[in-house]
Amino acid sequence: MSNPETSILPAFLDALADGRLEVIDLTTALSSSTPALRLPEPFANLIDFSLEEVSAYNEPGPFWRHNNIHTGEHIGTHLDAPVHWVTGRDGDDVSQIPVRRLIGPVAVLDLTAAVAADPDHLLTIAEVEAWEREHGRLAEGAWLLLRTGWESRGGSEAEFLNTDDTGSHTPGVAVDCARWLATERDITGLGVETVGVDAGLAGGFDPAFPVHHYFLGNDKYGLTSLRNLDRLPSVGAMLVVSPLPIVGGTGSPSRVLAVLDRDGAA
């Protein structure tokens, strides 16, 4: 049992209570209008999120209200587990992910200017190395979050998916950068504001969907449809990811929270 006089938990809880630590919700609200991935034929799509009323203070349940939920695993803000991809098929399902890996330091890389100029912008190794020269090497166990400004499109699925006759035009990660991050940096995962961790046109890359291919194949994770990344510092925040522990699940809608000390953040 820990010694109350030396425990850091009381100080942490006191800092939360008095506002010295701020908690920021990075989660997209989940509803039937939440934008979702739309795969082209012949591929099958997940069902959208919906609620089915079971009772609402009426005869089926006079004192309570409750619903059934219907949703795919990869809808809204969600976690991709290794088993989601063929390269990680022997890895953990979402219920098997060690909980210690669901909490870790945050690194925010700002690509808003590049994405404003080109919605198909791909993160490069050079951009990550430039960030590291300013902020230090990506920390072990960190979540790398890509701020792109894409959350501003979240009120319209058409704008969010940004699809034309040539495909979906959303930012992502270059193939060599995805491989490098997955194998040369000890990060936990990648978080994005877009509908998926890969670029909209990544189905035509080699390998296809390289973030999925390399990250999930190397026991790393993905987070999608994040919000409020503009409220985070480049370093100094802590991420808390809370997926449902679905046995056999390839992913799960998740509540994602950032905790930061404004005085200590960079």
Side-chain angles (χ1 to χ4, degrees), residues 100 103-106 137-143 185-188:
R100 61 178 173 76
I103 301 175
V106 173
R137 184 183 173 97
L138 288 167
E140 182 178 353
W143 288 89
R185 292 295 183 268
D186 295 323
I187 60 175
T188 290

PDB file of all heavy atoms in Angstrom, residues 100 103-106 137-143 185-188:
ATOM      1  N   ARG A 100      -2.100   0.318 -19.503  1.00  0.00           N
ATOM      2  CA  ARG A 100      -1.040   1.314 -19.320  1.00  0.00           C
ATOM      3  C   ARG A 100      -0.717   2.019 -20.638  1.00  0.00           C
ATOM      4  O   ARG A 100      -0.212   3.140 -20.624  1.00  0.00           O
ATOM      5  CB  ARG A 100       0.220   0.650 -18.755  1.00  0.00           C
ATOM      6  CG  ARG A 100       0.803  -0.419 -19.652  1.00  0.00           C
ATOM      7  CD  ARG A 100       2.079  -1.050 -19.110  1.00  0.00           C
ATOM      8  NE  ARG A 100       2.518  -2.166 -19.914  1.00  0.00           N
ATOM      9  CZ  ARG A 100       3.114  -2.060 -21.094  1.00  0.00           C
ATOM     10  NH1 ARG A 100       3.355  -0.855 -21.597  1.00  0.00           N
ATOM     11  NH2 ARG A 100       3.485  -3.133 -21.770  1.00  0.00           N
ATOM     12  N   ILE A 103      -2.785   5.433 -21.669  1.00  0.00           N
ATOM     13  CA  ILE A 103      -2.442   6.712 -21.055  1.00  0.00           C
ATOM     14  C   ILE A 103      -0.991   7.017 -21.413  1.00  0.00           C
ATOM     15  O   ILE A 103      -0.121   6.155 -21.250  1.00  0.00           O
ATOM     16  CB  ILE A 103      -2.598   6.669 -19.526  1.00  0.00           C
ATOM     17  CG1 ILE A 103      -4.035   6.304 -19.149  1.00  0.00           C
ATOM     18  CG2 ILE A 103      -2.207   8.007 -18.900  1.00  0.00           C
ATOM     19  CD1 ILE A 103      -4.235   6.122 -17.651  1.00  0.00           C
ATOM     20  N   GLY A 104      -0.725   8.212 -21.916  1.00  0.00           N
ATOM     21  CA  GLY A 104       0.651   8.523 -22.290  1.00  0.00           C
ATOM     22  C   GLY A 104       0.819   9.980 -22.662  1.00  0.00           C
ATOM     23  O   GLY A 104      -0.150  10.744 -22.752  1.00  0.00           O
ATOM     24  N   PRO A 105       2.046  10.389 -22.890  1.00  0.00           N
ATOM     25  CA  PRO A 105       2.320  11.776 -23.262  1.00  0.00           C
ATOM     26  C   PRO A 105       1.847  12.082 -24.676  1.00  0.00           C
ATOM     27  O   PRO A 105       1.679  11.187 -25.507  1.00  0.00           O
ATOM     28  CB  PRO A 105       3.845  11.869 -23.160  1.00  0.00           C
ATOM     29  CG  PRO A 105       4.334  10.467 -23.354  1.00  0.00           C
ATOM     30  CD  PRO A 105       3.277   9.583 -22.763  1.00  0.00           C
ATOM     31  N   VAL A 106       1.626  13.368 -24.913  1.00  0.00           N
ATOM     32  CA  VAL A 106       1.108  13.839 -26.196  1.00  0.00           C
ATOM     33  C   VAL A 106       2.175  14.632 -26.940  1.00  0.00           C
ATOM     34  O   VAL A 106       2.892  15.434 -26.346  1.00  0.00           O
ATOM     35  CB  VAL A 106      -0.135  14.727 -25.992  1.00  0.00           C
ATOM     36  CG1 VAL A 106      -0.578  15.357 -27.306  1.00  0.00           C
ATOM     37  CG2 VAL A 106      -1.273  13.927 -25.389  1.00  0.00           C
ATOM     38  N   ARG A 137      13.086  14.566 -29.237  1.00  0.00           N
ATOM     39  CA  ARG A 137      12.679  13.305 -29.849  1.00  0.00           C
ATOM     40  C   ARG A 137      11.312  12.880 -29.327  1.00  0.00           C
ATOM     41  O   ARG A 137      10.994  13.088 -28.138  1.00  0.00           O
ATOM     42  CB  ARG A 137      13.724  12.232 -29.551  1.00  0.00           C
ATOM     43  CG  ARG A 137      13.470  10.876 -30.224  1.00  0.00           C
ATOM     44  CD  ARG A 137      14.543   9.889 -29.790  1.00  0.00           C
ATOM     45  NE  ARG A 137      14.283   8.540 -30.261  1.00  0.00           N
ATOM     46  CZ  ARG A 137      14.816   8.010 -31.353  1.00  0.00           C
ATOM     47  NH1 ARG A 137      15.656   8.730 -32.078  1.00  0.00           N
ATOM     48  NH2 ARG A 137      14.538   6.775 -31.703  1.00  0.00           N
ATOM     49  N   LEU A 138      10.508  12.306 -30.192  1.00  0.00           N
ATOM     50  CA  LEU A 138       9.212  11.784 -29.772  1.00  0.00           C
ATOM     51  C   LEU A 138       9.403  10.837 -28.595  1.00  0.00           C
ATOM     52  O   LEU A 138      10.194   9.894 -28.654  1.00  0.00           O
ATOM     53  CB  LEU A 138       8.532  11.055 -30.929  1.00  0.00           C
ATOM     54  CG  LEU A 138       7.997  11.933 -32.062  1.00  0.00           C
ATOM     55  CD1 LEU A 138       7.632  11.078 -33.268  1.00  0.00           C
ATOM     56  CD2 LEU A 138       6.802  12.760 -31.598  1.00  0.00           C
ATOM     57  N   ALA A 139       8.664  11.100 -27.522  1.00  0.00           N
ATOM     58  CA  ALA A 139       8.862  10.360 -26.281  1.00  0.00           C
ATOM     59  C   ALA A 139       8.377   8.920 -26.399  1.00  0.00           C
ATOM     60  O   ALA A 139       7.430   8.624 -27.130  1.00  0.00           O
ATOM     61  CB  ALA A 139       8.129  11.062 -25.143  1.00  0.00           C
ATOM     62  N   GLU A 140       9.024   8.042 -25.654  1.00  0.00           N
ATOM     63  CA  GLU A 140       8.572   6.655 -25.576  1.00  0.00           C
ATOM     64  C   GLU A 140       7.150   6.628 -25.019  1.00  0.00           C
ATOM     65  O   GLU A 140       6.834   7.271 -24.021  1.00  0.00           O
ATOM     66  CB  GLU A 140       9.496   5.846 -24.678  1.00  0.00           C
ATOM     67  CG  GLU A 140       9.122   4.378 -24.571  1.00  0.00           C
ATOM     68  CD  GLU A 140      10.082   3.590 -23.709  1.00  0.00           C
ATOM     69  OE1 GLU A 140      11.115   4.157 -23.307  1.00  0.00           O
ATOM     70  OE2 GLU A 140       9.792   2.412 -23.428  1.00  0.00           O
ATOM     71  N   GLY A 141       6.281   5.884 -25.688  1.00  0.00           N
ATOM     72  CA  GLY A 141       4.898   5.768 -25.248  1.00  0.00           C
ATOM     73  C   GLY A 141       4.011   6.934 -25.634  1.00  0.00           C
ATOM     74  O   GLY A 141       2.841   6.984 -25.221  1.00  0.00           O
ATOM     75  N   ALA A 142       4.522   7.862 -26.442  1.00  0.00           N
ATOM     76  CA  ALA A 142       3.743   9.049 -26.795  1.00  0.00           C
ATOM     77  C   ALA A 142       2.685   8.733 -27.846  1.00  0.00           C
ATOM     78  O   ALA A 142       2.821   7.804 -28.639  1.00  0.00           O
ATOM     79  CB  ALA A 142       4.664  10.144 -27.311  1.00  0.00           C
ATOM     80  N   TRP A 143       1.653   9.554 -27.847  1.00  0.00           N
ATOM     81  CA  TRP A 143       0.669   9.587 -28.925  1.00  0.00           C
ATOM     82  C   TRP A 143       1.010  10.781 -29.803  1.00  0.00           C
ATOM     83  O   TRP A 143       1.025  11.919 -29.324  1.00  0.00           O
ATOM     84  CB  TRP A 143      -0.736   9.747 -28.370  1.00  0.00           C
ATOM     85  CG  TRP A 143      -1.272   8.526 -27.689  1.00  0.00           C
ATOM     86  CD1 TRP A 143      -1.129   8.189 -26.371  1.00  0.00           C
ATOM     87  CD2 TRP A 143      -2.059   7.497 -28.284  1.00  0.00           C
ATOM     88  NE1 TRP A 143      -1.771   7.001 -26.119  1.00  0.00           N
ATOM     89  CE2 TRP A 143      -2.345   6.561 -27.272  1.00  0.00           C
ATOM     90  CE3 TRP A 143      -2.548   7.279 -29.575  1.00  0.00           C
ATOM     91  CZ2 TRP A 143      -3.117   5.412 -27.510  1.00  0.00           C
ATOM     92  CZ3 TRP A 143      -3.296   6.141 -29.808  1.00  0.00           C
ATOM     93  CH2 TRP A 143      -3.583   5.216 -28.787  1.00  0.00           C
ATOM     94  N   ARG A 185      10.517   4.861 -34.026  1.00  0.00           N
ATOM     95  CA  ARG A 185      10.116   5.661 -32.878  1.00  0.00           C
ATOM     96  C   ARG A 185       9.224   4.810 -31.980  1.00  0.00           C
ATOM     97  O   ARG A 185       8.351   4.087 -32.459  1.00  0.00           O
ATOM     98  CB  ARG A 185       9.355   6.929 -33.310  1.00  0.00           C
ATOM     99  CG  ARG A 185      10.242   7.948 -34.039  1.00  0.00           C
ATOM    100  CD  ARG A 185      11.323   8.498 -33.115  1.00  0.00           C
ATOM    101  NE  ARG A 185      12.146   9.518 -33.751  1.00  0.00           N
ATOM    102  CZ  ARG A 185      13.282   9.287 -34.401  1.00  0.00           C
ATOM    103  NH1 ARG A 185      13.719   8.020 -34.540  1.00  0.00           N
ATOM    104  NH2 ARG A 185      13.977  10.278 -34.909  1.00  0.00           N
ATOM    105  N   ASP A 186       9.454   4.899 -30.671  1.00  0.00           N
ATOM    106  CA  ASP A 186       8.737   4.055 -29.710  1.00  0.00           C
ATOM    107  C   ASP A 186       7.434   4.699 -29.252  1.00  0.00           C
ATOM    108  O   ASP A 186       7.108   4.723 -28.058  1.00  0.00           O
ATOM    109  CB  ASP A 186       9.637   3.768 -28.500  1.00  0.00           C
ATOM    110  CG  ASP A 186      10.855   2.940 -28.861  1.00  0.00           C
ATOM    111  OD1 ASP A 186      10.718   2.054 -29.716  1.00  0.00           O
ATOM    112  OD2 ASP A 186      11.926   3.183 -28.286  1.00  0.00           O
ATOM    113  N   ILE A 187       6.671   5.229 -30.203  1.00  0.00           N
ATOM    114  CA  ILE A 187       5.400   5.844 -29.862  1.00  0.00           C
ATOM    115  C   ILE A 187       4.314   4.780 -29.728  1.00  0.00           C
ATOM    116  O   ILE A 187       4.461   3.653 -30.218  1.00  0.00           O
ATOM    117  CB  ILE A 187       5.005   6.912 -30.897  1.00  0.00           C
ATOM    118  CG1 ILE A 187       4.874   6.310 -32.295  1.00  0.00           C
ATOM    119  CG2 ILE A 187       6.010   8.059 -30.894  1.00  0.00           C
ATOM    120  CD1 ILE A 187       4.370   7.302 -33.354  1.00  0.00           C
ATOM    121  N   THR A 188       3.226   5.152 -29.067  1.00  0.00           N
ATOM    122  CA  THR A 188       2.103   4.226 -28.897  1.00  0.00           C
ATOM    123  C   THR A 188       1.178   4.222 -30.097  1.00  0.00           C
ATOM    124  O   THR A 188       0.659   3.177 -30.488  1.00  0.00           O
ATOM    125  CB  THR A 188       1.311   4.584 -27.622  1.00  0.00           C
ATOM    126  OG1 THR A 188       2.115   4.267 -26.483  1.00  0.00           O
ATOM    127  CG2 THR A 188       0.005   3.819 -27.534  1.00  0.00           C
TER     128      THR A 188
END
